[in-house]
Amino acid sequence: MLIWIFHPRLHSFGKLLPVLLMAIVLVACTTEPGFQAFPPGPLSDCQDLFRQTDHTIVQASTQDHGPRSIGGFPYLRVNRFLSSFRNDSMDSEQQAVWIKRLAALDAESRTLELRNLGHAIADPDTANLNSQLDQCRELLVSKLLTQPSQIQLLRQRAVVADDYLNSRRIVGLYPLSALFVSLGIKRWHSSAEKQFDLPLTEVPVRGQLIRWGHTTDRKSPSPLAFAERDPLSIPSLTPTEQQQLFRRHTPVREIDVVDDNDMIGTPHWRNGPVIDTTQATQYQLLSYTRYENLILVQLNYVIWFKSRPGNDIYAGQIDGLTWRVTLGPDGEPWLYDSIHNCGCYHHFFPTQYLQQRHGHDGAEPPLVPQQAPSPPLVVRLESRRHFIQRVYHDTGARPARPLAQEQYNLLRALPTLRGHHSLFGRYGLVAGSQRRERFILWPMGIRSPGAMRQWGRHPVAFVG
């Protein structure tokens, strides 16, 4: 029983303290604003364990910068999708599912953080730390579900703040500087649209066109069409069904290759992030979005390059591209869109199921250079800058190089010679990928414009 596992008199809990560096016991004596105080016993012991673990992770700088922590609820985390439910009217069953999904986000992130902590948790007596945290999380969630006032507080705090810095916008005279940036965006949109207007045979090729990908299976029905949904209407997909969806909708990448900077690579951590171009890897992440009264599945495909070479302010080490497929309830694509892994150069490719609205929200208009053709798709990329030049139907007539598939979470805890290390640092930024454009575009309120980022930390608009 949990009441015994976490009783302070038992030595098993005491054995965790050496891992947590003993000195951080003082953290348990501090009071976090809004932190619920429990009388001595299993619940208070669990809270102390979470706070002590968090302190150790922060001191070691191994905290994950994906899903955000929630003040007063160290056993839960939130992303933008789950945050969107916080003001909804939910019955008790829906509320329980929502909270358990917040708990699952914490379990995932904390597992990666402890893996990156490495030597600090290598002691055999603490090998079950994750297991004890899981049991503690279950105990605290069970208690939370009986406390309406705490749930209301959770709803207020389950917010994901954006990464725009108003202080920079104020100092940078944003209303004035944004006018000049808007003109630059307009010029780039015009240039991109002209590129897409060219016949495919007239798109310039500087090197050799090389393809990466595999044959997609679209003969069998989509597993999404038969997926059950939880009380929040979120589709429930097994790992096998998720893999079937990713394989069904993965695009072929056709890249104009001049040198190894145009080769799809694999990130590693070797005293810093590096991209190994001897193996091509695609990183996959399933996410969700809300559209009117629907919950839609999104498939994110992420690739990385060694660099964006050149002498302009946008050049620098490490580059990458995220291709996303938003699926309708029947599993058919409704929308394709793409960003570079800095959050820049956002393109939309709607299918026949969507029609672009007149006008737009915000000051930066969407770039819709073409309608999406029927799948399977080829995504053609330019050399050096890795801009998308065209999306077209794949007939399967040309061979493609193999492209390994990995879970995106691998990037959050890359294996190294001394343990594990996240590709992403503070604010989700990739170290060493900064661009000189940051010295010009900082008035837009974005940290290090042009730098590569962790999924969920992408500022996709400079203006608005």
Side-chain angles (χ1 to χ4, degrees), residues 206-222:
R206 299 180 66 245
Q208 178 186 3
L209 291 178
I210 299 178
R211 288 186 170 195
W212 283 266
H214 56 74
T215 303
T216 58
D217 174 21
R218 297 189 55 82
K219 294 180 181 178
S220 57
S222 171

Side-chain angles (χ1 to χ4, degrees), residues 395-411:
T395 62
R398 292 187 56 192
R401 296 187 180 187
L403 187 62
Q405 283 87 46
E406 293 285 357
Q407 293 296 315
Y408 186 85
N409 280 352
L410 180 63
L411 298 173

